[in-house]
Amino acid sequence: MSMAEYKGKVKNIQDTPFGYTLSVIGGKWKMVIIYLLAENQPVRFNELKRQIGAITYKTLSSQLKELEADGMVKRKEYPQIPPKVEYSLTDKAQTLLPILEELCEWGVKNHKL
């Protein structure tokens, strides 16, 4: 399906495949998290926090939970003290990586230094 198929028919963006995609990866941090996991998986929570920097622990935790609920992130918990949790991308999220690469290419072509 393409955007052209919805021309003039969209009453609510959430009812389209584009709306679904935005609900999964939209917002300030989700694409950043996906990008960092693609580069360095598996990643522990605190390492992810350090790599992002300006995100709060609460926000990172909620974004990871949302990505996990949407089937984009796997959470692996190890039964030890102190607790160890690692995050990685699912196969579903891996299918998004070529699109993120295209976004990066667009940035390379259009970014003015």
Side-chain angles (χ1 to χ4, degrees):
M1 285 194 168
S2 69
M3 293 186 334
E5 293 178 42
Y6 290 91
K7 188 171 183 160
K9 301 175 188 172
V10 176
K11 295 193 182 353
N12 188 339
I13 192 71
Q14 285 80 18
D15 297 336
T16 67
F18 183 72
Y20 168 74
T21 303
L22 286 180
S23 75
V24 173
I25 64 170
K28 185 174 180 178
W29 300 110
K30 288 182 180 178
M31 286 182 53
V32 173
I33 292 167
I34 291 168
Y35 175 83
L36 290 172
L37 288 175
E39 293 290 315
N40 307 299
Q41 61 183 332
V43 179
R44 293 180 69 178
F45 183 89
N46 284 331
E47 180 59 28
L48 200 51
K49 167 73 173 92
R50 267 191 295 280
Q51 290 176 3
I52 297 173
I55 192 171
T56 65
Y57 286 100
K58 181 179 178 181
T59 301
L60 178 56
S61 178
S62 71
Q63 295 291 277
L64 285 166
K65 285 178 184 174
E66 288 177 23
L67 286 166
E68 186 180 9
D70 287 327
M72 301 295 284
V73 169
K74 289 185 281 192
R75 181 181 189 273
K76 184 172 183 183
E77 189 172 339
Y78 296 90
Q80 65 185 50
I81 307 263
K84 177 182 174 184
V85 178
E86 292 179 337
Y87 295 91
S88 58
L89 296 179
T90 63
D91 291 340
K92 179 180 177 181
Q94 295 286 342
T95 64
L96 186 61
L97 298 183
I99 297 163
L100 296 182
E101 287 292 330
E102 288 294 320
L103 288 173
C104 288
E105 286 298 316
W106 185 90
V108 167
K109 292 176 184 171
N110 292 283
H111 184 259
K112 305 251 190 240
L113 294 177

